[in-house]
């Protein structure tokens, strides 16, 4: 067993001991795993969705902080990721959408704050389009799903083909604000992870026509917070501009310093605080309070609405 699988087992055990329950849900695609935590706060259920090649475990520091602020926190794992079973056939974008929509439709008993990073952001948008009554608000961190030229999409998907430890380190440098100290220890495990059939079949079946249309993005009526870290070197900047152009005018867009493609790993404390603050604002406006004017925060201060704080390196794996 490699270092990363062992760390995942230990992290899962630690979450379970802290009162975060592991559960499996059967869908028409495969059996999916989720972490389900009862919370102690007044905010609605928060759902956390990860990216390709990752799992729910890198969200653990965010999940634990949000438990203090929300009634419930759910971190779901995609087919063939984490502890979820792989699909019987290839994992395609259509297969992923079907599985995750079924799981969320089945699990949510109230409109939720749905948080998605990278591919998890695209999953969140798809769920909001199919079940808008179940989404109280969206928080999207460097979401996938923007329309791209074929060559640009091929280049992005090519970054997941890791053939050496040097390529793995370069990949981590594109993901995070700072390359995690443990990168050399897990490089081999990450290479093997991205070589799995589930990942290869997904990247091979992803096409430009899977992107969201301007009309789809513009139709999202729920509150939206889009966070795109200034240290994100994985997604092309044109993807941010696509979302900026086509999300509805009420969407809030922030470009914080000090975080990259995965803010839940680069700075989990600040990311959790921003999610909670946004959710509180959503509830206040829903109760009849006037919507606040967007605050202009100097770039050096990090995520809008938060003081600059030292980065906390989360214990997670590659998340894209």
């Amino acid at each position: 067993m490699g270092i990363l699988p062992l760390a995942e087992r230990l992290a899962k055990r630690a979450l379970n001991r802290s009162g975060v329950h592991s559960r499996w849900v059967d869908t028409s695609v495969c059996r999916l795993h989720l972490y389900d935590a009862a919370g102690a706060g007044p905010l609605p259920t928060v759902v956390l969705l990860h990216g390709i090649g990752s799992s729910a475990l890198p969200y653990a520091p965010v999940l634990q902080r949000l438990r203090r602020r929300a009634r419930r926190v759910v971190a779901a794992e995609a087919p063939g990721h984490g502890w979820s079973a792989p699909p019987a056939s290839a994992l395609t974008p259509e297969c992923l959408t079907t599985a995750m929509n079924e799981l969320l439709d089945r699990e949510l008993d109230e409109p939720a704050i749905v948080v998605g990073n990278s591919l998890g952001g695209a999953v969140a948008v798809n769920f909001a389009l199919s079940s808008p009554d179940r989404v109280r608000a969206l928080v999207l961190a460097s979401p996938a799903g923007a329309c791209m030229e074929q060559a640009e999409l091929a280049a992005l998907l090519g970054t997941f083909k890791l053939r050496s430890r040097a390529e793995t380190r370069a990949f981590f440098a594109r993901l995070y604000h700072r390359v995690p100290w443990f990168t050399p220890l897990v490089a081999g495990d990450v290479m093997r992870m991205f070589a799995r059939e589930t990942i290869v079949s997904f990247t091979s079946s992803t096409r430009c026509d899977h992107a969201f249309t301007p009309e789809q993005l513009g139709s999202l009526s729920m509150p939206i917070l889009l966070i795109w870290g200034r240290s994100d070197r994985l997604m092309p900047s044109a993807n941010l501009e696509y979302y900026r152009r086509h999300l509805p005018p009420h969407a809030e867009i922030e470009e914080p310093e000090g975080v990259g493609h995965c803010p839940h790993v680069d700075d989990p404390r600040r990311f959790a605080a921003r999610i909670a603050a946004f959710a509180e604002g959503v509830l206040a406006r829903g109760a009849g309070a006037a919507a606040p004017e967007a605050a202009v925060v100097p770039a050096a201060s990090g995520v809008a609405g938060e003081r600059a704080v030292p980065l906390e390196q989360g214990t997670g794996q590659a998340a894209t």
Side-chain angles (χ1 to χ4, degrees), residues 191-203:
M191 289 169 58
R192 286 187 288 274
M193 176 179 63
F194 277 98
R196 293 195 319 243
E197 176 57 29
T198 299
I199 307 300
V200 173
S201 64
F202 186 87
T203 56

Side-chain angles (χ1 to χ4, degrees), residues 29-303:
V29 173
C30 61
R31 197 181 195 206
L32 299 182
H33 175 260
L34 59 85
Y35 294 97
D36 194 346
L43 295 177
T45 297
V46 179
V47 173
L48 304 172
L49 301 171
H50 65 80
I52 189 171
S54 187
S55 73
L57 284 174
Y59 273 120
V62 173
L63 181 152
Q64 295 288 29
R65 286 173 170 85
L66 290 175
R67 290 178 71 187
R68 308 166 195 163
R69 312 285 290 274
R71 291 188 284 270
R72 180 188 180 200
V73 184
V74 174
E77 295 186 315
H81 290 69
W83 302 97
S84 291
S89 56
L91 180 62
T92 64
E94 294 84 359
C95 173
L96 174 67
T97 297
T98 297
M100 299 306 287
N101 283 1
E102 284 184 19
L103 179 141
L104 295 176
D105 272 328
R106 201 167 300 173
E107 283 296 315
L108 294 180
D109 55 8
E110 66 171 335
I113 309 294
V114 182
V115 181
N117 170 237
S118 194
L119 180 60
V123 171
V125 172
N126 268 315
F127 182 63
L129 290 170
S130 67
S131 302
D133 58 318
R134 293 180 178 270
V135 179
R136 186 69 184 84
L138 282 173
V139 179
L140 308 173
S142 293
C147 186
M148 306 172 68
E149 296 292 336
Q150 183 60 48
E152 197 170 38
L153 176 61
L156 174 62
L157 295 175
T159 62
F160 304 131
K161 298 176 181 178
L162 305 176
R163 294 171 289 265
S164 68
R165 290 176 178 271
E167 287 186 357
T168 303
R169 190 185 188 285
F171 178 69
F172 271 50
R174 298 181 70 175
L175 281 181
Y176 303 122
H177 176 67
R178 295 194 181 110
V179 177
W181 63 267
F182 53 79
T183 298
L185 302 177
V186 302
D189 292 331
V190 172
M191 289 169 58
R192 286 187 288 274
M193 176 179 63
F194 277 98
R196 293 195 319 243
E197 176 57 29
T198 299
I199 307 300
V200 173
S201 64
F202 186 87
T203 56
S204 299
S205 60
T206 299
R207 305 183 305 274
C208 291
D209 57 10
H210 287 121
F212 299 116
T213 66
E215 293 75 22
Q216 286 176 313
L217 293 179
S219 71
L220 296 169
S221 60
M222 66 286 297
I224 302 168
L225 171 63
L226 174 68
I227 295 174
W228 201 285
R230 290 185 181 272
S231 295
D232 187 343
R233 293 174 286 272
L234 181 70
M235 288 287 192
S237 59
N239 288 27
L240 169 59
E241 296 311 312
Y242 186 83
Y243 274 100
R244 194 192 304 276
R245 286 197 308 273
H246 300 304
L247 283 174
H250 66 262
E252 302 176 40
I253 300 176
E254 299 174 356
E255 299 180 66
E257 298 281 359
V259 294
H261 187 70
C262 305
H264 59 295
V265 176
D266 279 324
D267 198 339
R269 180 169 73 87
R270 203 153 42 113
F271 188 55
R274 186 66 190 97
I275 293 169
F278 177 67
E280 288 169 352
V282 167
L283 292 189
R285 293 196 292 275
E293 294 185 7
V296 178
V297 181
S301 68
V303 180

